[in-house]
Amino acid sequence: MQINEKMGRVNRKTKLLIGAGIVLFALFQYYSNSEVNEFTGKKQHISISTEEEVAIGLQAAPSMAQQHGGLYPNQEFQDFVDAVGQKLVDNSVAKQTNYNYEFHLLKDPEIINAFALPGGQIFITYALFSKLENEDQLAGVLAHEVGHVIGRHSAERMAKQGLTEGIINGVAVGFDPNTAQGAAAIANVINMSYGRDDELESDDLGVRFMIDSGYNPSELIGVMEILKAASGPNKIPERMSTHPDPENRIEKIKEAIEKYRN
């Protein structure tokens, strides 16, 4: 009995050491990849190059478009979206980056959304496009997405996801699956807050790019009103969402307008 107990203690200690090693390796890998984004001034932990971001975005773009029914079958609208997006790129720091910006209007008539893939592939659904009231609002949506690209938010999220998975795996090895599940739940909430920070930074950058390109940044507030109306009365609490509440975004947008206009 004593031998079995001693072996059990040794095994537990070994598991803890292995688990701690996995966690420490994940932390080292994450924090050793540190750089300052030259366009935002923010310190980031990213493990892939801008060239790899472009490659990832180009590879994922066809399947992402297909998930939303493909491109909207109206070349005039496609050209309009592309022209507004290109105007934003040509008149902002986006032109100084190594990204390949392409703007796509998706056929999806139901899902109100816009999103950016790493490296400059930017999409807006027809469901959102059709609710916009003017060119400035379209510019606001696209400028926000360009902000995600320049902010390298997808690449940053990949690194954070790798860190999270490493810590959870270490906890699972060192303790037990139930403890790991608790750690995963906590990590999920933390990663959601990272997502909200990214959205606010992209709003800030979007205002800056709109002003640089001669668009009225106040129209971005109108976009927030559209998103607010689309969320309906059953919206989930901000702490459980990857996006900030539209009302909070409006306040930050107003602050950004004051900052960049002065």
Side-chain angles (χ1 to χ4, degrees), residues 12-226:
R12 284 194 295 273
K13 187 175 181 180
T14 302
K15 287 171 63 178
L16 282 170
L17 288 172
I18 294 172
I22 293 172
V23 170
L24 287 172
F25 178 75
L27 289 167
F28 172 79
Q29 194 172 42
Y30 178 75
Y31 285 104
S32 63
N33 292 305
S34 177
E35 60 186 86
V36 174
N37 188 315
E38 64 177 307
F39 302 107
T40 66
K42 187 174 78 172
K43 183 178 180 181
Q44 295 178 292
H45 301 286
I46 293 175
S47 58
I48 61 175
S49 67
T50 55
E51 291 77 16
E52 287 172 315
E53 287 181 80
V54 171
I56 290 170
L58 287 172
Q59 185 177 20
S63 62
M64 291 300 295
Q66 201 56 44
Q67 288 178 32
H68 292 273
L71 297 179
Y72 188 75
N74 182 306
Q75 194 58 47
E76 183 181 353
F77 287 175
Q78 291 286 349
D79 291 344
F80 178 48
V81 169
D82 187 59
V84 173
Q86 202 56 52
K87 182 178 177 180
L88 289 163
V89 171
D90 290 342
N91 291 280
S92 69
V93 296
K95 193 173 180 64
Q96 302 171 31
T97 67
N98 294 323
Y99 296 126
N100 178 31
Y101 296 93
E102 293 183 344
F103 300 88
H104 312 279
L105 176 61
L106 298 175
K107 189 176 180 180
D108 197 325
E110 302 292 337
I111 300 174
I112 296 175
N113 196 19
F115 57 92
L117 296 179
Q121 298 297 310
I122 293 171
F123 302 81
I124 178 173
T125 63
Y126 183 73
L128 175 55
F129 177 82
S130 64
K131 290 186 177 296
L132 301 177
E133 299 167 356
N134 51 55
E135 181 176 332
D136 293 78
Q137 288 189 352
L138 174 61
V141 173
L142 300 181
H144 171 92
E145 299 306 329
V146 171
H148 277 305
V149 176
I150 290 177
R152 305 189 72 186
H153 295 154
S154 293
E156 196 173 23
R157 185 76 68 88
M158 290 178 197
K160 287 171 181 172
Q161 188 63 36
L163 172 64
T164 300
E165 289 175 359
I167 292 173
I168 291 171
N169 289 339
V171 170
V173 170
F175 293 91
D176 61 75
N178 291 330
T179 304
Q181 286 178 1
I186 294 169
N188 187 48
V189 173
I190 292 171
N191 284 335
M192 281 183 177
S193 71
Y194 287 140
R196 292 194 293 273
D197 290 342
D198 291 347
E199 293 300 322
L200 293 175
E201 182 178 49
S202 290
D203 285 342
D204 184 274
L205 290 169
V207 167
R208 174 180 158 192
F209 301 156
M210 289 182 77
I211 292 173
D212 290 343
S213 304
Y215 287 111
N216 179 7
S218 296
E219 290 296 337
L220 191 53
I221 295 173
V223 175
M224 293 303 112
E225 295 291 352
I226 291 170

